[in-house]
Amino acid sequence: MVKELKGIAASDGIAIAKAYLLVEPDLSFEKSEVADAESEVKRFQDAVSISQSELTKIREQAAKSLGEDKAQIFDAHLLVLGDPEMIGPIEENIKNNKVNAESALQETTDMFISMFESMDNEYMRERAADIRDVRKRILSHLLGVTIPNPALIDEEVVVVAKDLTPSDTAQLNRKFVKGFVTDIGGRTSHSAIMARSLEIPAVVGTKEVTADTKKDEMVIIDGLEGNVIINPSDDQIAHYKKIQSDFELQKAEWEKLKNESTVSKDGVHVELAANIGTPNDLDGVISNGGEAIGLYRTEFLYMGRDNFPTEEEQYEAYKAVLEGMEGKSVVVRTLDIGGDKTLPYLDLPEEMNPFLGFRAIRLCFANEDLFRTQLRALLRASVHGKLKIMFPMIATVAEFRQAKAILLDEKQKLVASGTDVNENIELGIMIEIPAAAVLADQFAKEVDFFSIGTNDLIQYTMAADRMNERVSYLYQPYNPSILRLVKNVIDASHKEGKWTGMCGEMAGDQTAIPLLLGMGLDEFSMSASSILKSRSLIKRLDQTKMVELADKALNQATAEEVVALVEKYTAE
Ligand code: PEP
Ligand code: MG
């Protein structure tokens, strides 16, 4: 039966393929007695050996598609599976107590997990997580259910999930994953942002797609309009194939602008930069004609692994990006963990409101070693290109001063030890907390630049969680309240001879661009896949006319009125 759903268009394009359900299976069971303990032990051993061959396969596949460093996570799991000190006691438990394998597995591993978790040594504490993962895998084989392994996907599919964490998204192989659709999330949740950087069509926040879709059912994802069709008719498939090919043609048109600079019809140049998460995203930046990197989200370097990246690893990553950009600006944001981005190896207490909690610069101040390691890696890499550093989630001028002082301290130490450091690193802040937007005139005296993070600025201004699709209607980039904050920031920076960029999703929004151009934004940083269509738009706009549009927009009452004005001013 055909089923149509509406969600939030999160990444452009059309995908038509079979569903791959990335949904956690039910692993519940009852404890029971067994009459034949020997055959129960055998059942357990079979589950262990299937888990071993499955993990070996996943490890090989992950090494091929994601690289050796990511694949190493699975080595730790294989070690646990092959450890007689772990497996032996479970078998003993089955034999001695005549219990089913599931409950022996649960009880014995619980004991090991609490033992490891109570250790002082961080490395040993991390082993508890490995045991949990391995237990889940053995349990799934005992119960005859399947744990999805996105790294093993080897045919064209559309991934259907409740939500995708940034680390799930990082595991998706573009060759086979043609699109994804989720129950929850919004346009600015990090899985959506990553889908755009991978250029995979995506629809998020459908509320019920996992309940409505079965494994292998055909699914159409319309990432342009936010539509999802499960079990489409032949006519619907034909219709969307046409939209898909029209979109490809459109992209080929934009492609022609790849080597052009971004100049409005009346000759005003603005910079179109790209947001990246890893050095691997550089290819997309170059192929889409990015003029700079306006936001390098360094936290992705810390994800999908089981320990902190060393200073050396970070240095290599930053150097690769700076060299890859061949002297063009690269704005690197220091670690922004917290909110929807967590690290399995950084033990943080659960919070009631993670987006209002211990996140980004706040977490870096409390873990200064972590912060200093990153700053040293950045400073050392600075000689390889045009590095600019910015701090996330700055709420007060004192926070900026503190971050700057730590950076200068590390710089001084490096210079004293004879290490070369670039003397001209610009230092800026993200404007994503309303307090900083309001006080931009004071900040502008001390920073070299601002970059407006509208994903957070809008969630904090509207008090609407960016991950919650129930309040996603309040994600209103065109609301005059947001426009006034943006204008205040741009004007404040210009008054002090500084510049303002924007790296939130609003910067690549085709309705917002005319307004931002009119407000005098200097740099627009977006998913690489949005650059060429934005360049095409800006080349058709008259900046002087957009100034008039922006002035009027700032004095409207609602987002809808602003959209109507934009339509009027941009009609050709
Ligand atoms: C933002 O908040 O707009 C931003 C660019 O940062 P992030 O999406 O990573 O929070
Ligand atoms: Mg942010």
Side-chain angles (χ1 to χ4, degrees):
M1 201 183 64
V2 180
K3 172 113 201 185
E4 299 186 16
L5 298 176
K6 187 82 193 158
I8 298 162
S11 179
D12 283 350
I14 307 292
I16 307 172
K18 287 192 304 188
Y20 179 92
L21 285 168
L22 191 59
V23 181
E24 287 287 315
D26 179 8
L27 292 176
S28 56
F29 62 89
E30 297 284 324
K31 182 172 181 175
S32 62
E33 271 191 27
V34 290
D36 182 354
E38 283 304 322
S39 64
E40 191 65 3
V41 169
K42 171 81 175 51
R43 193 167 78 87
F44 171 69
Q45 287 169 340
D46 288 347
V48 171
S49 80
I50 300 175
S51 302
Q52 262 163 339
S53 47
E54 185 179 64
L55 263 177
T56 311
K57 210 165 129 202
I58 295 174
R59 196 220 175 278
E60 278 168 21
Q61 189 74 26
K64 262 192 253 153
S65 56
L66 306 166
E68 188 56 30
D69 56 332
K70 294 252 161 55
Q72 279 170 5
I73 296 181
F74 300 109
D75 286 338
H77 295 184
L78 279 164
L79 269 180
V80 175
L81 269 176
D83 184 357
E85 300 207 15
M86 176 75 53
I87 301 301
I90 301 170
E91 293 176 1
E92 289 304 309
N93 190 347
I94 300 174
K95 276 190 224 155
N96 298 341
N97 301 312
K98 294 204 174 313
V99 287
N100 55 342
E102 288 87 344
S103 60
L105 171 71
Q106 184 85 21
E107 279 168 17
T108 310
T109 47
D110 267 349
M111 196 182 72
F112 281 106
I113 289 169
S114 41
M115 189 175 87
F116 280 114
E117 276 178 346
S118 64
M119 289 185 181
D120 284 339
N121 180 319
E122 192 182 320
Y123 175 82
M124 297 310 274
R125 280 202 306 272
E126 284 164 15
R127 302 288 70 80
D130 295 333
I131 299 173
R132 275 212 174 82
D133 273 345
V134 167
R135 167 166 81 188
K136 207 165 103 184
R137 190 165 301 282
I138 303 176
L139 203 49
S140 75
H141 290 298
L142 286 170
L143 295 169
V145 295
T146 316
I147 296 183
N149 295 309
L152 279 190
I153 297 175
D154 58 1
E155 57 176 347
E156 293 197 354
V157 294
V158 154
V159 167
V160 176
K162 200 164 169 29
D163 183 26
L164 279 173
T165 62
S167 70
D168 287 332
T169 320
Q171 286 195 52
L172 303 181
N173 184 338
R174 256 187 78 180
K175 191 161 147 221
F176 300 119
V177 177
K178 295 292 145 194
F180 75 70
V181 48
T182 64
D183 287 342
I184 65 172
R187 207 184 137 74
T188 62
S189 57
H190 284 96
S191 49
I193 290 171
M194 287 186 74
R196 285 194 284 282
S197 76
L198 292 169
E199 301 186 37
I200 300 179
V203 173
V204 298
T206 61
K207 299 191 180 77
E208 50 177 313
V209 70
T210 55
D212 291 336
T213 317
K214 289 192 197 69
K215 180 173 175 285
D216 292 338
E217 272 182 329
M218 209 54 187
V219 178
I220 296 178
I221 292 183
D222 170 4
L224 298 163
E225 299 291 335
N227 300 316
V228 178
I229 307 176
I230 302 155
N231 274 326
S233 66
D234 290 348
D235 281 354
Q236 284 170 315
I237 293 182
H239 174 71
Y240 275 97
K241 282 206 163 142
K242 170 86 175 71
I243 298 180
Q244 194 173 36
S245 66
D246 287 351
F247 183 63
E248 290 307 319
L249 284 177
Q250 173 68 264
K251 282 212 303 203
E253 260 320 290
W254 290 332
E255 185 61 44
K256 295 179 186 153
L257 301 175
K258 191 176 137 181
N259 297 316
E260 296 197 10
S261 71
T262 315
V263 184
S264 70
K265 212 157 120 189
D266 51 345
V268 175
H269 175 256
V270 292
E271 191 164 67
L272 282 197
N275 295 347
I276 62 166
T278 79
N280 295 338
D281 295 338
L282 269 187
D283 289 348
V285 177
I286 311 285
S287 64
N288 284 292
E291 294 166 62
I293 303 286
L295 168 65
Y296 177 2
R297 288 185 166 94
T298 56
E299 48 278 6
F300 291 110
L301 251 176
Y302 293 67
M303 291 179 179
R305 45 186 297 148
D306 56 10
N307 48 22
F308 285 107
T310 61
E311 181 181 323
E312 215 46 42
E313 283 174 283
Q314 294 192 53
Y315 165 76
E316 290 298 336
Y318 305 147
K319 179 177 164 218
V321 173
L322 285 161
E323 286 186 344
M325 288 308 286
E326 299 178 337
K328 296 188 184 122
S329 290
V330 175
V331 180
V332 180
R333 174 175 78 185
T334 60
L335 189 59
D336 181 5
I337 284 297
D340 62 339
K341 292 175 285 196
T342 53
L343 298 179
Y345 52 90
L346 179 64
D347 219 1
L348 293 174
E350 288 241 333
E351 294 188 317
M352 298 280 279
N353 294 299
F355 276 110
L356 296 181
F358 193 52
R359 181 186 166 190
I361 200 76
R362 305 165 182 189
L363 187 146
C364 284
F365 286 152
N367 294 274
E368 215 176 285
D369 285 351
L370 197 74
F371 190 39
R372 284 181 182 268
T373 305
Q374 178 171 43
L375 295 177
R376 272 197 307 279
L378 278 169
L379 288 163
R380 285 174 49 211
S382 68
V383 292
H384 298 289
K386 193 165 175 191
L387 173 68
K388 300 177 182 181
I389 298 176
M390 72 177 166
F391 304 117
M393 292 286 288
I394 295 286
T396 68
V397 173
E399 282 177 334
F400 172 68
R401 289 180 185 156
Q402 186 178 346
K404 182 175 173 177
I406 298 173
L407 179 81
L408 291 183
D409 185 45
E410 285 304 324
K411 184 175 161 194
Q412 231 159 34
K413 285 192 209 152
L414 282 173
V415 173
S417 71
T419 308
D420 282 345
V421 173
N422 191 328
E423 276 307 316
N424 302 309
I425 305 172
E426 287 188 21
L427 260 195
I429 59 167
M430 300 263 313
I431 300 272
E432 47 190 347
I433 296 181
V438 171
L439 205 65
D441 57 332
Q442 296 303 317
F443 278 100
K445 295 179 187 155
E446 306 195 24
V447 303
D448 296 316
F449 68 93
F450 292 134
S451 185
I452 307 176
T454 46
N455 306 340
D456 281 314
L457 184 62
I458 297 172
Q459 87 162 336
Y460 296 135
T461 306
M462 295 292 184
D465 185 341
R466 64 196 266 188
M467 297 291 290
N468 185 339
E469 68 286 348
R470 290 201 187 128
V471 293
S472 63
Y473 75 96
L474 285 167
Y475 175 74
Q476 294 186 5
Y478 329 119
N479 189 294
S481 61
I482 302 295
L483 299 181
R484 286 187 189 189
L485 287 177
V486 168
K487 180 80 165 94
N488 187 51
V489 174
I490 298 173
D491 287 351
S493 71
H494 290 173
K495 224 172 183 168
E496 296 292 334
K498 313 288 170 65
W499 60 273
T500 295
M502 179 179 284
C503 58
E505 291 304 307
M506 183 177 174
D509 179 311
Q510 304 296 290
T511 304
I513 285 174
L515 295 159
L516 298 170
L517 185 69
M519 288 195 272
L521 189 74
D522 302 290
E523 177 235 41
F524 297 63
S525 194
M526 58 193 72
S527 310
S529 56
S530 300
I531 290 178
L532 291 172
K533 76 171 167 197
S534 304
R535 181 168 297 151
S536 158
L537 171 63
I538 291 172
K539 282 170 104 54
R540 283 178 275 128
L541 298 175
D542 195 298
Q543 205 255 357
T544 322
K545 204 167 142 196
M546 296 308 117
V547 173
E548 200 184 302
L549 159 69
D551 282 348
K552 288 221 170 97
L554 288 165
N555 290 300
Q556 302 301 310
T558 67
E560 289 73 18
E561 287 164 16
V562 172
V563 173
L565 263 184
V566 174
E567 281 165 3
K568 187 170 143 213
Y569 270 78
T570 53
E572 280 164 305

Short mmCIF file of all heavy atoms in Angstrom, two decimals, residues 367-408:
data_model
loop_
_atom_site.label_atom_id
_atom_site.label_comp_id
_atom_site.label_asym_id
_atom_site.label_seq_id
_atom_site.Cartn_x
_atom_site.Cartn_y
_atom_site.Cartn_z
N ASN A 367 37.91 21.60 30.92
CA ASN A 367 38.88 20.55 30.55
C ASN A 367 40.01 21.24 29.80
O ASN A 367 40.21 21.01 28.60
CB ASN A 367 38.23 19.51 29.65
CG ASN A 367 37.15 18.73 30.37
OD1 ASN A 367 37.42 17.75 31.03
ND2 ASN A 367 35.93 19.21 30.27
N GLU A 368 40.72 22.08 30.51
CA GLU A 368 41.68 22.97 29.83
C GLU A 368 42.76 22.22 29.06
O GLU A 368 43.20 22.69 28.01
CB GLU A 368 42.28 23.94 30.85
CG GLU A 368 42.53 25.30 30.23
CD GLU A 368 43.03 26.31 31.23
OE1 GLU A 368 42.20 26.77 32.03
OE2 GLU A 368 44.23 26.63 31.20
N ASP A 369 43.15 21.06 29.54
CA ASP A 369 44.19 20.30 28.83
C ASP A 369 43.75 19.96 27.42
O ASP A 369 44.51 20.08 26.45
CB ASP A 369 44.49 18.97 29.54
CG ASP A 369 45.31 19.22 30.79
OD1 ASP A 369 45.75 20.36 30.97
OD2 ASP A 369 45.47 18.27 31.58
N LEU A 370 42.50 19.54 27.33
CA LEU A 370 41.89 19.19 26.05
C LEU A 370 41.95 20.40 25.10
O LEU A 370 42.32 20.31 23.93
CB LEU A 370 40.43 18.88 26.36
CG LEU A 370 39.60 18.13 25.38
CD1 LEU A 370 40.06 16.69 25.43
CD2 LEU A 370 38.13 18.20 25.82
N PHE A 371 41.57 21.54 25.64
CA PHE A 371 41.51 22.79 24.88
C PHE A 371 42.92 23.20 24.44
O PHE A 371 43.17 23.52 23.28
CB PHE A 371 40.89 23.85 25.79
CG PHE A 371 40.53 25.15 25.10
CD1 PHE A 371 39.99 25.17 23.83
CD2 PHE A 371 40.71 26.38 25.77
CE1 PHE A 371 39.64 26.37 23.21
CE2 PHE A 371 40.36 27.57 25.16
CZ PHE A 371 39.82 27.57 23.89
N ARG A 372 43.85 23.11 25.38
CA ARG A 372 45.22 23.54 25.07
C ARG A 372 45.84 22.64 23.99
O ARG A 372 46.57 23.11 23.13
CB ARG A 372 46.09 23.54 26.34
CG ARG A 372 45.80 24.73 27.24
CD ARG A 372 46.68 24.72 28.49
NE ARG A 372 46.36 25.85 29.34
CZ ARG A 372 46.97 27.04 29.29
NH1 ARG A 372 47.96 27.25 28.45
NH2 ARG A 372 46.60 28.03 30.09
N THR A 373 45.54 21.34 24.05
CA THR A 373 46.08 20.42 23.03
C THR A 373 45.59 20.87 21.65
O THR A 373 46.35 20.94 20.69
CB THR A 373 45.62 18.97 23.31
OG1 THR A 373 46.00 18.64 24.62
CG2 THR A 373 46.21 18.00 22.32
N GLN A 374 44.30 21.17 21.57
CA GLN A 374 43.77 21.59 20.27
C GLN A 374 44.41 22.90 19.80
O GLN A 374 44.78 23.05 18.64
CB GLN A 374 42.24 21.75 20.34
CG GLN A 374 41.69 22.23 19.00
CD GLN A 374 40.19 22.23 18.90
OE1 GLN A 374 39.52 22.64 19.84
NE2 GLN A 374 39.67 21.80 17.77
N LEU A 375 44.55 23.85 20.73
CA LEU A 375 45.13 25.15 20.35
C LEU A 375 46.57 25.00 19.87
O LEU A 375 46.98 25.62 18.89
CB LEU A 375 45.04 26.13 21.52
CG LEU A 375 43.61 26.51 21.93
CD1 LEU A 375 43.62 27.42 23.14
CD2 LEU A 375 42.86 27.17 20.78
N ARG A 376 47.32 24.14 20.54
CA ARG A 376 48.72 23.91 20.11
C ARG A 376 48.75 23.33 18.70
O ARG A 376 49.53 23.78 17.86
CB ARG A 376 49.43 22.95 21.07
CG ARG A 376 50.10 23.63 22.25
CD ARG A 376 51.12 22.71 22.90
NE ARG A 376 50.57 21.42 23.26
CZ ARG A 376 49.85 21.18 24.36
NH1 ARG A 376 49.62 22.15 25.24
NH2 ARG A 376 49.40 19.97 24.62
N ALA A 377 47.88 22.35 18.45
CA ALA A 377 47.85 21.74 17.11
C ALA A 377 47.51 22.81 16.06
O ALA A 377 48.11 22.87 14.98
CB ALA A 377 46.83 20.62 17.08
N LEU A 378 46.57 23.67 16.41
CA LEU A 378 46.17 24.73 15.47
C LEU A 378 47.31 25.72 15.22
O LEU A 378 47.60 26.10 14.08
CB LEU A 378 44.96 25.48 16.02
CG LEU A 378 43.60 24.81 15.78
CD1 LEU A 378 42.53 25.50 16.61
CD2 LEU A 378 43.26 24.85 14.30
N LEU A 379 47.93 26.15 16.32
CA LEU A 379 49.02 27.13 16.19
C LEU A 379 50.16 26.57 15.34
O LEU A 379 50.71 27.24 14.48
CB LEU A 379 49.52 27.53 17.58
CG LEU A 379 48.55 28.41 18.37
CD1 LEU A 379 48.92 28.42 19.86
CD2 LEU A 379 48.55 29.85 17.83
N ARG A 380 50.49 25.31 15.58
CA ARG A 380 51.58 24.71 14.80
C ARG A 380 51.19 24.59 13.33
O ARG A 380 52.02 24.77 12.44
CB ARG A 380 51.92 23.31 15.37
CG ARG A 380 52.71 23.39 16.67
CD ARG A 380 52.89 22.00 17.26
NE ARG A 380 53.37 21.06 16.26
CZ ARG A 380 53.07 19.75 16.26
NH1 ARG A 380 52.31 19.23 17.20
NH2 ARG A 380 53.56 18.97 15.33
N ALA A 381 49.90 24.30 13.07
CA ALA A 381 49.47 24.15 11.67
C ALA A 381 49.37 25.50 10.96
O ALA A 381 49.34 25.57 9.73
CB ALA A 381 48.12 23.43 11.62
N SER A 382 49.32 26.58 11.75
CA SER A 382 49.01 27.90 11.18
C SER A 382 50.00 28.35 10.11
O SER A 382 49.68 29.19 9.27
CB SER A 382 48.95 28.96 12.30
OG SER A 382 50.25 29.15 12.85
N VAL A 383 51.21 27.79 10.11
CA VAL A 383 52.20 28.22 9.12
C VAL A 383 51.90 27.62 7.73
O VAL A 383 52.55 27.97 6.76
CB VAL A 383 53.65 27.82 9.53
CG1 VAL A 383 54.09 28.60 10.75
CG2 VAL A 383 53.73 26.31 9.81
N HIS A 384 50.90 26.75 7.65
CA HIS A 384 50.63 26.08 6.37
C HIS A 384 49.52 26.73 5.55
O HIS A 384 49.10 26.18 4.54
CB HIS A 384 50.28 24.60 6.60
CG HIS A 384 51.41 23.84 7.23
ND1 HIS A 384 52.56 23.53 6.56
CD2 HIS A 384 51.57 23.37 8.49
CE1 HIS A 384 53.38 22.88 7.37
NE2 HIS A 384 52.81 22.78 8.55
N GLY A 385 49.04 27.88 5.99
CA GLY A 385 47.97 28.51 5.22
C GLY A 385 47.43 29.72 5.95
O GLY A 385 48.09 30.27 6.83
N LYS A 386 46.20 30.11 5.57
CA LYS A 386 45.61 31.31 6.17
C LYS A 386 44.58 30.90 7.22
O LYS A 386 43.38 30.79 6.94
CB LYS A 386 44.95 32.14 5.07
CG LYS A 386 44.58 33.53 5.48
CD LYS A 386 44.29 34.35 4.25
CE LYS A 386 43.80 35.73 4.55
NZ LYS A 386 43.29 36.38 3.34
N LEU A 387 45.08 30.66 8.42
CA LEU A 387 44.21 30.17 9.50
C LEU A 387 43.54 31.31 10.25
O LEU A 387 44.17 32.32 10.57
CB LEU A 387 45.07 29.35 10.48
CG LEU A 387 44.37 28.88 11.76
CD1 LEU A 387 43.29 27.85 11.46
CD2 LEU A 387 45.37 28.30 12.75
N LYS A 388 42.24 31.12 10.52
CA LYS A 388 41.53 32.03 11.43
C LYS A 388 40.88 31.12 12.47
O LYS A 388 40.38 30.04 12.12
CB LYS A 388 40.45 32.81 10.67
CG LYS A 388 41.06 33.64 9.56
CD LYS A 388 40.04 34.38 8.73
CE LYS A 388 40.81 35.13 7.62
NZ LYS A 388 39.93 35.91 6.75
N ILE A 389 40.93 31.53 13.73
CA ILE A 389 40.38 30.66 14.78
C ILE A 389 39.16 31.32 15.39
O ILE A 389 39.16 32.54 15.65
CB ILE A 389 41.43 30.43 15.90
CG1 ILE A 389 42.66 29.69 15.32
CG2 ILE A 389 40.85 29.62 17.06
CD1 ILE A 389 43.81 29.49 16.32
N MET A 390 38.09 30.52 15.61
CA MET A 390 36.97 31.11 16.35
C MET A 390 36.48 30.19 17.44
O MET A 390 36.62 28.97 17.38
CB MET A 390 35.84 31.49 15.41
CG MET A 390 35.06 30.37 14.83
SD MET A 390 33.73 31.11 13.85
CE MET A 390 33.20 29.69 12.93
N PHE A 391 35.94 30.84 18.47
CA PHE A 391 35.45 30.12 19.64
C PHE A 391 33.92 30.02 19.59
O PHE A 391 33.25 31.01 19.30
CB PHE A 391 35.88 30.85 20.93
CG PHE A 391 37.38 31.05 21.02
CD1 PHE A 391 37.93 32.33 21.05
CD2 PHE A 391 38.25 29.96 21.05
CE1 PHE A 391 39.30 32.53 21.12
CE2 PHE A 391 39.62 30.13 21.13
CZ PHE A 391 40.15 31.42 21.16
N PRO A 392 33.40 28.82 19.90
CA PRO A 392 31.94 28.63 19.86
C PRO A 392 31.25 28.99 21.16
O PRO A 392 31.86 28.94 22.23
CB PRO A 392 31.82 27.13 19.59
CG PRO A 392 33.02 26.53 20.25
CD PRO A 392 34.12 27.57 20.19
N MET A 393 29.97 29.34 21.07
CA MET A 393 29.10 29.51 22.25
C MET A 393 29.62 30.54 23.24
O MET A 393 29.54 30.36 24.46
CB MET A 393 28.95 28.17 22.98
CG MET A 393 28.18 27.13 22.22
SD MET A 393 26.42 27.47 22.17
CE MET A 393 25.94 27.12 23.85
N ILE A 394 30.16 31.63 22.71
CA ILE A 394 30.62 32.69 23.60
C ILE A 394 29.40 33.51 24.05
O ILE A 394 28.61 33.99 23.21
CB ILE A 394 31.65 33.59 22.88
CG1 ILE A 394 32.92 32.80 22.54
CG2 ILE A 394 31.95 34.84 23.69
CD1 ILE A 394 33.85 32.49 23.71
N ALA A 395 29.25 33.64 25.36
CA ALA A 395 28.12 34.41 25.90
C ALA A 395 28.57 35.75 26.47
O ALA A 395 27.81 36.72 26.47
CB ALA A 395 27.41 33.61 26.99
N THR A 396 29.81 35.80 26.97
CA THR A 396 30.25 37.03 27.63
C THR A 396 31.62 37.45 27.10
O THR A 396 32.39 36.61 26.62
CB THR A 396 30.40 36.82 29.16
OG1 THR A 396 31.49 35.92 29.38
CG2 THR A 396 29.14 36.26 29.79
N VAL A 397 31.92 38.73 27.23
CA VAL A 397 33.23 39.24 26.80
C VAL A 397 34.33 38.56 27.63
O VAL A 397 35.41 38.24 27.11
CB VAL A 397 33.28 40.78 26.93
CG1 VAL A 397 34.68 41.29 26.65
CG2 VAL A 397 32.27 41.43 25.98
N ALA A 398 34.02 38.29 28.89
CA ALA A 398 35.02 37.64 29.75
C ALA A 398 35.41 36.28 29.20
O ALA A 398 36.58 35.88 29.26
CB ALA A 398 34.48 37.51 31.17
N GLU A 399 34.44 35.56 28.65
CA GLU A 399 34.76 34.24 28.08
C GLU A 399 35.71 34.39 26.90
O GLU A 399 36.66 33.61 26.74
CB GLU A 399 33.49 33.52 27.61
CG GLU A 399 32.68 32.90 28.73
CD GLU A 399 31.40 32.27 28.22
OE1 GLU A 399 30.88 32.70 27.15
OE2 GLU A 399 30.89 31.37 28.89
N PHE A 400 35.44 35.38 26.07
CA PHE A 400 36.35 35.58 24.93
C PHE A 400 37.76 35.90 25.43
O PHE A 400 38.75 35.35 24.94
CB PHE A 400 35.84 36.68 23.99
CG PHE A 400 36.86 37.03 22.93
CD1 PHE A 400 37.19 36.11 21.92
CD2 PHE A 400 37.55 38.24 22.96
CE1 PHE A 400 38.16 36.40 20.97
CE2 PHE A 400 38.52 38.53 22.02
CZ PHE A 400 38.83 37.61 21.01
N ARG A 401 37.83 36.78 26.40
CA ARG A 401 39.16 37.16 26.93
C ARG A 401 39.88 35.94 27.49
O ARG A 401 41.08 35.77 27.29
CB ARG A 401 39.01 38.22 28.02
CG ARG A 401 38.59 39.57 27.44
CD ARG A 401 38.44 40.61 28.55
NE ARG A 401 37.93 41.86 28.00
CZ ARG A 401 37.29 42.76 28.71
NH1 ARG A 401 37.06 42.57 30.01
NH2 ARG A 401 36.87 43.86 28.14
N GLN A 402 39.14 35.10 28.20
CA GLN A 402 39.76 33.92 28.79
C GLN A 402 40.29 32.98 27.70
O GLN A 402 41.42 32.49 27.78
CB GLN A 402 38.72 33.18 29.66
CG GLN A 402 39.31 32.01 30.43
CD GLN A 402 38.27 31.33 31.32
OE1 GLN A 402 37.19 31.87 31.57
NE2 GLN A 402 38.59 30.15 31.81
N ALA A 403 39.47 32.76 26.67
CA ALA A 403 39.89 31.86 25.58
C ALA A 403 41.11 32.43 24.87
O ALA A 403 42.08 31.73 24.57
CB ALA A 403 38.74 31.66 24.59
N LYS A 404 41.08 33.72 24.65
CA LYS A 404 42.20 34.38 23.96
C LYS A 404 43.48 34.29 24.80
O LYS A 404 44.57 34.03 24.27
CB LYS A 404 41.84 35.86 23.70
CG LYS A 404 42.91 36.60 22.95
CD LYS A 404 42.46 38.02 22.60
CE LYS A 404 43.62 38.81 22.02
NZ LYS A 404 43.24 40.16 21.61
N ALA A 405 43.33 34.47 26.12
CA ALA A 405 44.51 34.42 26.99
C ALA A 405 45.14 33.02 26.96
O ALA A 405 46.37 32.89 26.91
CB ALA A 405 44.12 34.79 28.42
N ILE A 406 44.30 31.99 26.93
CA ILE A 406 44.84 30.62 26.89
C ILE A 406 45.57 30.41 25.56
O ILE A 406 46.66 29.85 25.50
CB ILE A 406 43.72 29.57 27.10
CG1 ILE A 406 43.09 29.75 28.48
CG2 ILE A 406 44.26 28.15 26.94
CD1 ILE A 406 41.86 28.89 28.75
N LEU A 407 44.96 30.92 24.49
CA LEU A 407 45.60 30.77 23.18
C LEU A 407 46.95 31.48 23.13
O LEU A 407 47.96 30.93 22.68
CB LEU A 407 44.68 31.35 22.09
CG LEU A 407 45.24 31.29 20.67
CD1 LEU A 407 45.04 29.89 20.08
CD2 LEU A 407 44.61 32.31 19.75
N LEU A 408 46.98 32.71 23.66
CA LEU A 408 48.23 33.48 23.64
C LEU A 408 49.30 32.81 24.50
O LEU A 408 50.49 32.81 24.16
CB LEU A 408 48.00 34.92 24.10
CG LEU A 408 47.17 35.77 23.12
CD1 LEU A 408 47.04 37.21 23.61
CD2 LEU A 408 47.76 35.74 21.70
#
